[in-house]
Amino acid sequence: MALVIEDGTGVANAESYVTALEARAFALKRGITLNADDAVVEPLLIQAMDWLEALRLRFIGYEQSEAQALAWPRYGVVIFGYLAANELIPEQLKNAQMQLCIDAQTTTLQPTSAAKEVTKNKVGELEKQFAESGTGGDTTQFVKAQGFLKPLLNGINYDVVRV
């Protein structure tokens, strides 16, 4: 099943910014091999999209249309000091999706887990202590994908952390 690709026109049923073929080429340039079967790579691209869509309200600019399925295309977007075309799907966004696709091969991008439990609470001078890593959620950062996304997010030093 081929993915429906957002081409900058605000596709109502878009599922991805890139194809499996593009993701394979991106990975190969970095010495990484993605599976040759689209049926394996496409779900990884969807997982990457889910992760990106969780940032929907943090992206700079404004969505083109309420009918578009994904956060991009957007208008009023300034990247590195230049006003971007309204139909632009930034390379940084595509690169982040492809990097997250690579990451999704070895880790769960958005795990369902409980937050770390408070194991100690002190009232005087307010102190909290959280359970050790592994007993609750974690704070994995997808540094490469986050690096691609920085110019597209509100706040110049916005770090995205999975909790």
Side-chain angles (χ1 to χ4, degrees), residues 21-43:
L21 182 63
E22 290 171 306
R24 278 191 209 88
F26 177 90
L28 194 56
K29 285 181 181 179
R30 287 151 181 82
I32 300 166
T33 303
L34 289 175
N35 195 295
D37 186 355
D38 286 356
V40 173
V41 175
E42 288 177 355

Side-chain angles (χ1 to χ4, degrees), residues 23-131:
R24 278 191 209 88
F26 177 90
L28 194 56
K29 285 181 181 179
R30 287 151 181 82
I32 300 166
T33 303
L34 289 175
N35 195 295
D37 186 355
D38 286 356
V40 173
V41 175
E42 288 177 355
L44 298 176
L45 286 168
I46 294 288
Q47 290 173 36
M49 278 307 311
D50 291 344
W51 193 92
L52 290 170
E53 282 297 299
L55 301 176
R56 192 173 192 134
L57 297 176
R58 296 182 186 169
F59 286 120
I60 57 176
Y62 307 92
E63 292 181 19
Q64 292 277 32
S65 161
E66 64 184 61
Q68 69 190 59
L70 302 177
W72 293 78
R74 302 174 81 79
Y75 68 91
V77 172
V78 176
I79 303 173
F80 300 123
Y82 297 96
L83 183 62
N86 291 345
E87 65 278 356
L88 177 74
I89 305 299
E91 287 303 310
Q92 296 94 331
L93 183 65
K94 293 177 182 182
N95 290 344
Q97 184 186 5
M98 293 182 285
Q99 181 60 52
L100 288 163
C101 173
I102 292 167
D103 294 339
Q105 290 185 115
T106 58
T107 189
T108 302
L109 299 180
Q110 293 178 304
T112 302
S113 63
K116 292 182 181 181
E117 296 179 32
V118 176
T119 58
K120 181 179 181 181
N121 199 3
K122 182 179 175 184
V123 176
E125 295 189 39
L126 191 64
E127 177 181 317
K128 283 188 180 184
Q129 181 176 337
F130 294 90

